[in-house]
Amino acid sequence: MKQGERTGLVLEGGGMRGIYTAGVLDVFLERGIEFDGVIGVSAGVVHGCSFLAGQKGRSIRYYKRYCRDWRFMSMRNLLLTGDMVGEKFCYHDLPERLDPFDYEAFKRCRTEFYAVCSNVVTGRAEYLRMQDMRKHVDIMRASASLPCISKMVRINGKKYLDGACTDSIPVRAFRRMGFRRNVVILTREEGYVKQAEVSRLVRLRYWRYPRFLQALENRHLRYNEKIRYIRRLEQAGEVFVLRPSRKLTIGRMEHNPRELQRTYNLGRRDARRHMEELMKWLETC
């Protein structure tokens, strides 16, 4: 590795598609693969924290166990609280009691961990460092709070929503932060092209935040440009990309444990299939 360069891991989001990432990360844990820094978006943050805490299998375990529990993710939550994902259940009951998160192991980890959040007022991405999961749980919640089905999360007086609204795959930002060589885990297959998807409901909901609304309207353009950028870096040997070997059929709000397991298993298979190539690439860092 060149002096001053650090290796990073970039985790795309995608709702329940992120369980694919969990499968890849569990293989990394089995092989003892570590990074100087990790940055996640939305579901990437959720699974990235278990990776840094060294808790192999935790994500698939609690996703399968609670995916049909209305407190986990449901229209009932949305109607009762304004959030599709149950805040108390997912961010407190589950990690603190039902399937304990290893807060101390996370704090001991030397890897820098960042979450991408979208500032609703400025319409720009912010890259917030997480060093203590108990103190910084609202950063995770903000990064994973989808427009229209989640309330805005306030942190230090600022309003945030889903990080993918402004930077779905933060490779360029992570390189600026000094992580020049990165492993990138995507949750879309090769050849995927994002289409415009801003609905009338979104425009009505966020008309008071024109910069954020503009970011949403241009999101597909930024995403597709980012994929082209990653491809150039990949050809130059500066990133190593792992993506689904086939189109994922899992729903964004999937409630079928078998589908979750299939998607997780695909992540494991894809990681194992590329492991020798990945290890050689890491040796050059």
Side-chain angles (χ1 to χ4, degrees), residues 17 47 53 209 232:
R17 289 198 316 273
H47 302 303
Y209 304 95
R232 293 196 298 271

Side-chain angles (χ1 to χ4, degrees), residues 225-240:
E225 186 280 328
K226 190 64 64 66
I227 291 296
R228 293 192 292 270
Y229 173 69
I230 290 171
R231 187 173 295 116
R232 293 196 298 271
L233 292 178
E234 191 175 17
Q235 292 170 350
E238 295 183 31
V239 301
F240 189 98

Side-chain angles (χ1 to χ4, degrees), residues 15-17 19 25 32-33 45 58-59 72 74 95 100 105 150 160 215-216 259 276-277 284:
M16 289 296 200
R17 289 198 316 273
I19 204 64
L25 295 179
I33 297 175
V45 181
R58 180 173 180 269
S59 288
F72 187 70
S74 68
S150 303
Y160 294 101
L216 290 174
E259 186 62 35
E276 183 177 352
E277 183 184 359
T284 68

Side-chain angles (χ1 to χ4, degrees), residues 112-128:
E112 295 179 26
F113 188 43
Y114 297 86
V116 184
C117 300
S118 296
N119 186 312
V120 178
V121 175
T122 66
R124 299 176 65 87
E126 294 186 16
Y127 311 94
L128 307 181

